[in-house]
Amino acid sequence: MLKVWSPKEHCHVAAVDTGANVCSVRFNPWREHLIAAGSAAHTALVFDLRMMRVGGTGAGTCGAAAPTTVPLASFGGHRKAVAYVRWAGEDEVLSASTDSMLRLWSLRGAPHKGGADAATADAATHLPAASAAETGKHTHMGRMGSSGAWADEHWGEAVRTYSGHTNERNFVGLSQAGNYIATGSETGEVFIYLKHINTPSIRHRLTSSYPPANAQHAFHLHHRHHAQQQSPPFISAVSWRQRSQTLMAANSQGHLWALALQP
């Protein structure tokens, strides 16, 4: 379930049943009624808050009726769970999956004015779907028609696919700022992509001595456990400092790094 909560209410004010585990959610910074979600069903989903009120469309009350299960858009190009979603622009969704791929999706033509009537009025602006060769799978969109029933359409496209890092089991982090996209890797490296280039522009391996000299006995035991593992520690989180070229990164052994792009 994906639920929206308000501090003014005693329960959730909007809900949707995605049909699979939800791994990540993000509000659109430019259109506050749009929400992106990453699903274990190999999809990146977009919901319109105005269409996911409890009881269908309209405000409703908590538990009054079953929530809608139809997303505004469902991008199905990944082969495994979508661990992260980020808004890369007003009409662009960035998704990261444990298939070792990042994908950038276009939301061109999405309804965003207000309510079901606006969605119907915007129908003429929807773009056709990209071909299967472009997306891997089609992009699905559900729209509320004037009759109150959901009408199916296909629209949108996969703008770009990024590959080079390794991500098959763990959550390795995803962060985007401006034209820079950062992700971790199970090889212990940080990868940086430029938005318009499919392959990594920078890859940097993070290494450190572990444990620190003043560590307690428990940390030494922890270190021996990790030393016995066959695989290196993976990068577990990355985060850009907004409006700068500084990146924070962390690995699965609890180490943090502050990295800076050199001019």
Side-chain angles (χ1 to χ4, degrees):
M1 295 291 292
L2 187 156
K3 295 184 178 182
V4 179
W5 303 82
S6 169
K8 298 179 180 180
E9 303 290 339
H10 295 290
C11 59
H12 59 273
V13 296
V16 63
D17 184 355
T18 66
N21 291 349
V22 178
C23 303
S24 177
V25 292
R26 280 292 188 278
F27 274 101
N28 187 318
W30 297 273
R31 301 177 184 176
E32 60 184 11
H33 56 276
L34 294 183
I35 302 173
S39 169
H42 310 177
T43 55
L45 307 168
V46 176
F47 296 95
D48 190 327
L49 181 60
R50 302 163 301 182
M51 298 294 181
M52 56 182 285
R53 298 291 184 181
V54 173
T57 59
T61 58
C62 190
T68 177
T69 59
V70 181
L72 183 70
S74 176
F75 302 114
H78 287 290
R79 301 189 311 273
K80 297 176 73 175
V82 175
Y84 299 96
V85 287
R86 299 289 186 267
W87 290 96
E90 184 177 358
D91 296 311
E92 292 178 323
V93 175
L94 181 66
S95 60
S97 169
T98 51
D99 62 3
S100 296
M101 296 286 182
L102 309 180
R103 289 183 182 269
L104 183 66
W105 306 92
S106 174
L107 281 172
R108 290 180 299 169
H112 60 270
K113 291 186 178 179
D117 292 339
T120 303
D122 281 356
T125 68
H126 295 158
L127 300 181
S131 66
E134 294 173 305
T135 63
K137 294 183 180 180
H138 69 263
T139 299
H140 174 272
M141 179 269 201
R143 177 175 57 83
M144 181 70 76
S146 57
S147 64
W150 285 98
D152 289 336
E153 292 186 9
H154 300 286
W155 59 274
E157 59 180 327
V159 177
R160 198 168 301 278
T161 298
Y162 309 90
S163 61
H165 63 287
T166 300
N167 182 201
E168 298 178 352
R169 295 184 58 188
N170 304 287
F171 281 22
V172 296
L174 176 68
S175 184
Q176 180 270 337
N179 288 323
Y180 295 109
I181 300 169
T183 186
S185 175
E186 290 165 354
T187 58
E189 299 169 282
V190 170
F191 283 74
I192 297 177
Y193 298 88
L194 292 178
K195 190 175 178 181
H196 59 283
I197 300 178
N198 299 63
T199 55
S201 296
I202 298 174
R203 54 188 299 176
H204 180 70
R205 183 176 297 278
L206 301 181
T207 59
S208 64
S209 59
Y210 188 84
N214 60 351
Q216 296 179 1
H217 179 65
F219 286 102
H220 287 275
L221 294 178
H222 184 65
H223 173 54
R224 287 210 303 268
H225 170 72
H226 279 281
Q228 295 170 358
Q229 293 182 349
Q230 298 297 318
S231 58
F234 62 90
I235 305 303
S236 55
V238 291
S239 180
W240 285 106
R241 181 180 183 182
Q242 295 300 307
R243 297 177 296 279
S244 77
Q245 294 184 336
T246 301
L247 177 73
M248 291 296 298
N251 74 1
S252 56
Q253 288 185 343
H255 287 265
L256 294 170
W257 287 264
L259 308 173
L261 295 178
Q262 295 180 350

